[in-house]
Amino acid sequence: MTTRDKTNSFSVGNLTYGGNSHIYIQSMCNTPTKDVKATVSQILKLEKYGCEIIRVAVLDQKDASCLAQIKKQIHIPLVADIHFDPNLALIAIEQGIDKLRLNPGNITDPVKIKEIVLKCKEKKIPIRIGVNAGSLPKDISAPTAEHMIEAAKRHIRILEELQFHDISLSLKASNIDLTIQAYKLAANTFSYPLHIGITEAGTMLKGAIKSGIGISRILEMGIGNTIRVSLTDDPVYEVIAAKEILKNLHLMSEETTFTSCPTCGRTQYDMIPIAKEIESYLDTVHKKIHVAVMGCAVNGPGEAKEADLGVAGGKGEALLFKKGVVVGKIKAEEIIPVLKKEIDEF
Amino acid sequence: MTTRDKTNSFSVGNLTYGGNSHIYIQSMCNTPTKDVKATVSQILKLEKYGCEIIRVAVLDQKDASCLAQIKKQIHIPLVADIHFDPNLALIAIEQGIDKLRLNPGNITDPVKIKEIVLKCKEKKIPIRIGVNAGSLPKDISAPTAEHMIEAAKRHIRILEELQFHDISLSLKASNIDLTIQAYKLAANTFSYPLHIGITEAGTMLKGAIKSGIGISRILEMGIGNTIRVSLTDDPVYEVIAAKEILKNLHLMSEETTFTSCPTCGRTQYDMIPIAKEIESYLDTVHKKIHVAVMGCAVNGPGEAKEADLGVAGGKGEALLFKKGVVVGKIKAEEIIPVLKKEIDEF
């Protein structure tokens, strides 16, 4: 039993979060929330790639009043990200959000805080507190792990005093060493589930390296109930990157595997585009399946013994095989649709 | 002192490799070696981004006979990657390469092996043995760490029997767990420097995640004298990814740091393209420098106290500061050239 499994557990929409639930993949929209069409379209795409919880920024009343409309059209829990303005939180709660990301210590009016917390309690809406090393309270501004925990305690105390315990916590820094120290200390200090991420990780390549190293180290310590990879790019890449981290650490149950040979002189069909398309299609498939796309019938079925499903190309056609056994012959142009259909039906 | 520092050390061209030398970044050209112009142009670009050792595939006599021409036009050690054909190795050695990547156990003619090894010894050309989990000898084909070490021993024995010891070794697998186990066992078994990498890591995003997790775990154990990130993409990304891994583990001495604010309502100039261009320019700079590009004069100089060099934009112009002190005012359109000049002169 890891630290992860020993955390509190509660509902986020239709999900059970924390405790021995699996590690959820989440992302954040980069569309204006008030542009409902663009936001819903982005969320539906993210769902397809395996995003399990989605967060949107609520900057003003217009954003807040669009949340119900968005929620109606999507299938995963919706989190409203709110800073400073308690009225936006109250509107968001009325709109039916599934979770609130809000730092109670940043709201100066105690009456408003109480109102928000009591409403969240009544509607069973959990709150995530997000401590960021770059914006600690003025009196403890030096960004150390201890100070990040102290900042978290101040926010948590406000909620606990109102007997509110459905709390999730994040402690992000752009420096991976500091982030790791902070989460380690948090796991020893609190029993609340932890949201893991490296903030301002950067553009796709550098952000993937930084998040890959940092998030994997934290998860390997048995810490973390949900992860978000932050990339300065399309959030779909955040979801693909998060899946890749979980897959490499064997922390994902529904794991697709894709094998393809590097092609050689024996390959007699245009294999690479087919391999790429099938690999990318598997990003949107959420089941345990191993698919192989091989260049030729010599090594194809043999090398793909472990695969559930595969093709081994010949001249203008390919052998279709299941569990290493040839089950039929298909034309080259039918490989993609046939494989997709077989994957869907698996 | 880590395992890394205790390995043997020898020269690769003008570099000292192994022992307590730093960890070298290497890559491999994806141009046809016989296309000298394209290959040299790719190597010069890779050098600019920080590649320290470059490998080219030698598939036939035409490739082999181009190596001297390539070597003449580049500034980093050139490694010839040769499989099976001993004659290509002999030509490559005559052409003046700095290192050979060749598995002696795959060459069936013992006379030829002896000739290659004696020539390498005479010309002080080291040999890298590359064991790949996917292509182990038939009698030990199950891909376990122990079998990979056994395969390495067979190749090494041939060289040692000829009193050849300038050996580098790699043990790659596409599975990160197996790769880590193999390198751990190798570090305990051999005193030869180790070349680290995850093979067939995949496309840019997934490959970066996989390599970031796998290579960083090996380096953190104190193992590894050179790294190559394998990506199915432009090798420049391999070099950027390798640098990012070393930077995050504090294993690079000449480390550039870049800070930029996320921009806000106070930003009165088109900051993001400037930030991106300067960040990308720093990828080609090899010195310890911290540069900041900030949106406004309110937080700019303050937040960038730690920076060696920076700008804080105003309306159509920016303050230039060094070590947090304002030293001048520049027009918006001059920010990029002025910063580049200051970085060059730093």
Side-chain angles (χ1 to χ4, degrees):
Chain A
M1 196 152 142
T2 65
T3 315
R4 171 184 308 127
D5 304 318
K6 284 182 265 182
T7 61
N8 298 352
S9 141
F10 47 81
S11 293
V12 176
N14 55 352
L15 302 177
T16 303
Y17 171 70
N20 57 15
S21 297
H22 76 264
I23 300 163
Y24 293 109
I25 292 172
Q26 60 173 286
S27 185
M28 186 168 181
C29 288
N30 61 4
T31 50
T33 303
K34 52 181 78 56
D35 184 344
V36 173
K37 204 178 153 193
T39 302
V40 167
S41 149
Q42 188 167 64
I43 296 172
L44 293 178
K45 189 175 169 198
L46 292 169
E47 286 181 2
K48 210 175 114 184
Y49 278 82
C51 181
E52 297 171 289
I53 298 174
I54 187 70
R55 180 159 50 114
V56 294
V58 176
L59 304 179
D60 53 33
Q61 293 218 1
K62 204 156 179 199
D63 282 345
S65 59
C66 290
L67 294 167
Q69 262 178 284
I70 293 170
K71 169 120 186 84
K72 218 167 45 189
Q73 300 176 66
I74 65 171
H75 316 89
I76 55 176
L78 180 65
V79 186
D81 190 297
I82 291 166
H83 290 269
F84 306 110
D85 186 343
N87 296 315
L88 297 181
L90 291 169
I91 300 172
I93 294 167
E94 284 310 315
Q95 292 270 317
I97 53 157
D98 298 298
K99 191 177 177 184
L100 192 58
R101 190 273 194 213
L102 173 134
N103 287 355
N106 296 347
I107 290 171
T108 43
D109 182 349
V111 178
K112 286 283 183 189
I113 296 175
K114 195 172 173 183
E115 194 181 344
I116 292 169
V117 174
L118 293 183
K119 283 216 171 172
C120 279
K121 212 170 168 179
E122 180 202 326
K123 293 179 182 276
K124 296 199 169 301
I125 296 174
I127 296 177
R128 169 160 71 93
I129 291 167
V131 172
N132 194 309
S135 56
L136 293 174
K138 290 232 156 87
D139 60 313
I140 52 167
S141 63
T144 64
E146 289 73 17
H147 285 171
M148 290 171 76
I149 297 297
E150 173 55 28
K153 277 185 182 165
R154 293 185 187 180
H155 296 300
I156 287 173
R157 209 170 291 138
I158 296 169
L159 299 183
E160 287 179 341
E161 276 169 7
L162 293 163
Q163 278 76 51
F164 187 90
H165 302 283
D166 290 353
I167 301 170
S168 169
L169 181 66
S170 66
L171 300 121
K172 296 187 188 178
S174 62
N175 173 302
I176 65 171
D177 301 314
L178 177 56
T179 310
I180 293 163
Q181 284 162 28
Y183 277 106
K184 214 168 154 179
L185 200 52
N188 287 330
T189 310
F190 308 110
S191 55
Y192 298 116
L194 296 173
H195 163 123
I196 310 293
I198 309 290
T199 196
E200 293 157 23
T203 47
M204 186 158 85
L205 180 60
K206 293 183 191 175
I209 295 280
K210 203 168 185 174
S211 298
I213 298 174
I215 294 175
S216 73
R217 282 209 217 159
I218 297 166
L219 292 175
E220 280 173 323
M221 294 190 292
I223 297 169
N225 304 81
T226 181
I227 66 172
R228 183 204 170 190
V229 175
S230 299
L231 297 176
T232 310
D233 213 312
D234 185 330
V236 160
Y237 296 123
E238 299 189 346
V239 173
I240 295 175
K243 271 161 73 176
E244 195 63 21
I245 293 172
L246 293 177
K247 264 173 137 174
N248 275 294
L249 302 182
H250 314 295
L251 289 169
M252 242 181 100
S253 51
E254 293 170 342
E255 193 180 315
T256 62
T257 309
F258 180 73
T259 310
S260 66
C261 70
T263 78
C264 74
R266 274 196 304 269
T267 312
Q268 291 187 76
Y269 73 121
D270 194 15
M271 198 200 95
I272 293 178
I274 295 175
K276 282 192 176 169
E277 171 129 9
I278 296 301
E279 183 180 27
S280 156
Y281 187 68
L282 285 172
D283 281 335
T284 67
V285 166
H286 311 295
K287 45 185 149 190
K288 196 165 177 59
I289 183 171
H290 181 172
V291 180
V293 173
M294 308 301 290
C296 75
V298 176
N299 295 320
E303 281 181 22
K305 272 197 298 280
E306 314 288 315
D308 297 304
L309 191 65
V311 288
K315 197 168 178 176
E317 59 182 16
L319 296 175
L320 174 68
F321 53 92
K322 294 185 183 177
K323 305 270 181 192
V325 177
V326 176
V327 295
K329 226 178 231 185
I330 42 180
K331 285 184 191 156
E333 61 272 26
E334 282 168 9
I335 295 176
I336 291 175
V338 167
L339 270 185
K340 286 185 179 175
K341 190 170 154 278
E342 291 285 345
I343 291 167
D344 291 345
E345 288 171 1
F346 184 78
Chain B
M1 197 155 138
T2 64
T3 315
R4 172 183 306 126
D5 305 317
K6 284 182 266 180
T7 61
N8 297 352
S9 141
F10 47 81
S11 293
V12 176
N14 55 352
L15 302 177
T16 302
Y17 171 69
N20 56 16
S21 297
H22 76 264
I23 300 162
Y24 294 109
I25 291 171
Q26 60 173 284
S27 185
M28 185 169 182
C29 287
N30 62 4
T31 51
T33 303
K34 53 182 77 57
D35 185 344
V36 173
K37 202 177 153 193
T39 303
V40 167
S41 148
Q42 186 168 65
I43 296 173
L44 294 178
K45 188 175 170 199
L46 292 169
E47 285 182 4
K48 210 175 113 184
Y49 277 83
C51 182
E52 298 172 289
I53 298 173
I54 187 70
R55 179 159 50 113
V56 295
V58 177
L59 303 180
D60 53 32
Q61 293 218 2
K62 204 158 180 197
D63 282 345
S65 59
C66 289
L67 295 168
Q69 261 178 284
I70 293 170
K71 169 120 187 83
K72 219 168 43 192
Q73 301 176 66
I74 65 170
H75 315 88
I76 55 176
L78 181 66
V79 186
D81 190 296
I82 292 166
H83 291 269
F84 307 110
D85 187 344
N87 296 314
L88 298 181
L90 291 168
I91 301 172
I93 293 167
E94 284 310 314
Q95 292 270 317
I97 54 157
D98 299 298
K99 192 177 176 183
L100 192 58
R101 190 273 195 215
L102 173 133
N103 287 354
N106 297 346
I107 290 171
T108 43
D109 182 350
V111 178
K112 287 286 182 186
I113 296 175
K114 196 171 173 185
E115 194 182 345
I116 292 170
V117 174
L118 293 182
K119 282 216 172 173
C120 280
K121 213 170 168 179
E122 178 202 326
K123 294 181 182 274
K124 294 198 171 300
I125 297 174
I127 297 176
R128 168 161 71 93
I129 290 167
V131 172
N132 194 308
S135 57
L136 292 175
K138 289 232 157 89
D139 60 314
I140 52 167
S141 64
T144 65
E146 289 73 18
H147 285 171
M148 290 171 76
I149 296 297
E150 173 55 27
K153 277 184 181 167
R154 293 185 187 180
H155 296 300
I156 287 173
R157 210 170 291 139
I158 297 169
L159 299 183
E160 287 179 341
E161 277 168 6
L162 294 162
Q163 277 77 51
F164 187 89
H165 302 285
D166 290 355
I167 301 169
S168 169
L169 182 65
S170 66
L171 300 121
K172 298 186 187 177
S174 62
N175 172 302
I176 64 172
D177 301 315
L178 177 57
T179 310
I180 293 163
Q181 285 163 27
Y183 278 106
K184 215 169 151 180
L185 200 51
N188 287 330
T189 309
F190 308 111
S191 56
Y192 299 115
L194 296 173
H195 163 121
I196 310 293
I198 309 290
T199 196
E200 295 158 20
T203 47
M204 187 156 85
L205 180 60
K206 292 183 192 175
I209 295 281
K210 202 167 185 173
S211 298
I213 297 175
I215 294 176
S216 73
R217 281 209 218 161
I218 296 166
L219 293 175
E220 281 173 323
M221 294 190 292
I223 297 169
N225 303 81
T226 182
I227 65 173
R228 184 203 171 191
V229 175
S230 300
L231 298 176
T232 311
D233 212 312
D234 185 332
V236 160
Y237 296 122
E238 299 189 347
V239 173
I240 296 174
K243 272 160 76 175
E244 194 64 21
I245 292 172
L246 293 177
K247 265 173 137 176
N248 275 295
L249 302 182
H250 314 296
L251 289 170
M252 242 182 101
S253 51
E254 293 170 338
E255 193 179 316
T256 62
T257 310
F258 179 74
T259 310
S260 67
C261 70
T263 77
C264 74
R266 277 196 302 270
T267 312
Q268 291 185 76
Y269 75 120
D270 193 14
M271 198 199 93
I272 293 177
I274 296 175
K276 281 193 175 170
E277 172 130 9
I278 296 300
E279 183 181 26
S280 158
Y281 188 67
L282 284 172
D283 281 336
T284 67
V285 166
H286 311 296
K287 44 185 151 190
K288 197 167 173 61
I289 183 170
H290 181 171
V291 180
V293 173
M294 308 300 292
C296 75
V298 177
N299 295 320
E303 281 182 22
K305 271 198 298 282
E306 315 287 316
D308 297 304
L309 191 65
V311 288
K315 198 168 178 175
E317 59 182 17
L319 297 175
L320 175 68
F321 53 93
K322 294 183 182 179
K323 305 269 180 197
V325 177
V326 176
V327 295
K329 225 178 228 184
I330 42 179
K331 285 185 191 155
E333 61 272 25
E334 284 168 8
I335 295 176
I336 290 174
V338 167
L339 270 185
K340 285 185 179 175
K341 190 170 153 280
E342 292 284 347
I343 291 167
D344 290 345
E345 288 170 2
F346 184 79

